[in-house]
Amino acid sequence: MKPLSLWVSLFFMITSWIVGFYFISILYTPTIIIPLPNNFLWTNEYKGLLGLTSIITILTISFLTYYFSKRKSVVHTRKWSAIALVNLTVWLLTIGAQLKIAAYNLGICH
């Protein structure tokens, strides 16, 4: 296993939680509008900004725990590189979604 990709994954996870809590603290609204391709989803601010983050955090921790327990069999660099690339891409998309939701709601409210 590559420790650098684990540290980068942990960094993105913490960054996503910080971004979510930061935007919850500056958005003073009881509802958040999540723009979807064909309509809008209205939800509270915790589900809107931290819902996806909590789901991805649970999946990442369980997935990495499983692969850490099977680290003897995951010695192939291509296999681990693909796992790490997918994990980091999902975290970047999660942070991007949080920023998009916050920007959309800041644009509506102000």
Side-chain angles (χ1 to χ4, degrees), residues 8 37 53:
V8 172
T53 301

Side-chain angles (χ1 to χ4, degrees), residues 9-101:
S9 177
L10 181 66
F11 172 74
F12 282 145
M13 186 183 308
I14 291 171
T15 302
S16 179
W17 281 99
I18 289 171
V19 165
F21 282 121
Y22 173 73
F23 283 118
I24 285 173
S25 70
I26 64 169
L27 288 174
Y28 299 110
T29 180
T31 60
I32 294 287
I33 301 169
I34 300 174
L36 297 174
N38 58 355
N39 58 2
F40 299 100
L41 180 65
W42 294 66
T43 185
N44 65 7
E45 57 188 7
Y46 290 101
K47 283 184 190 174
L49 291 171
L50 291 176
L52 184 61
T53 301
S54 60
I55 291 170
I56 300 299
T57 299
I58 291 169
L59 289 175
T60 299
I61 289 173
S62 63
F63 188 71
L64 291 179
T65 304
Y66 173 74
Y67 271 105
F68 188 73
S69 67
K70 301 290 185 182
R71 66 182 175 270
K72 303 277 186 196
S73 64
V74 187
V75 293
H76 304 292
T77 56
R78 285 187 184 179
K79 189 174 186 179
W80 178 251
S81 297
I83 292 167
L85 182 66
V86 168
N87 185 20
L88 297 178
T89 304
V90 166
W91 276 111
L92 285 174
L93 290 174
T94 302
I95 293 171
Q98 284 178 322
L99 293 175
K100 179 182 178 181
I101 291 167

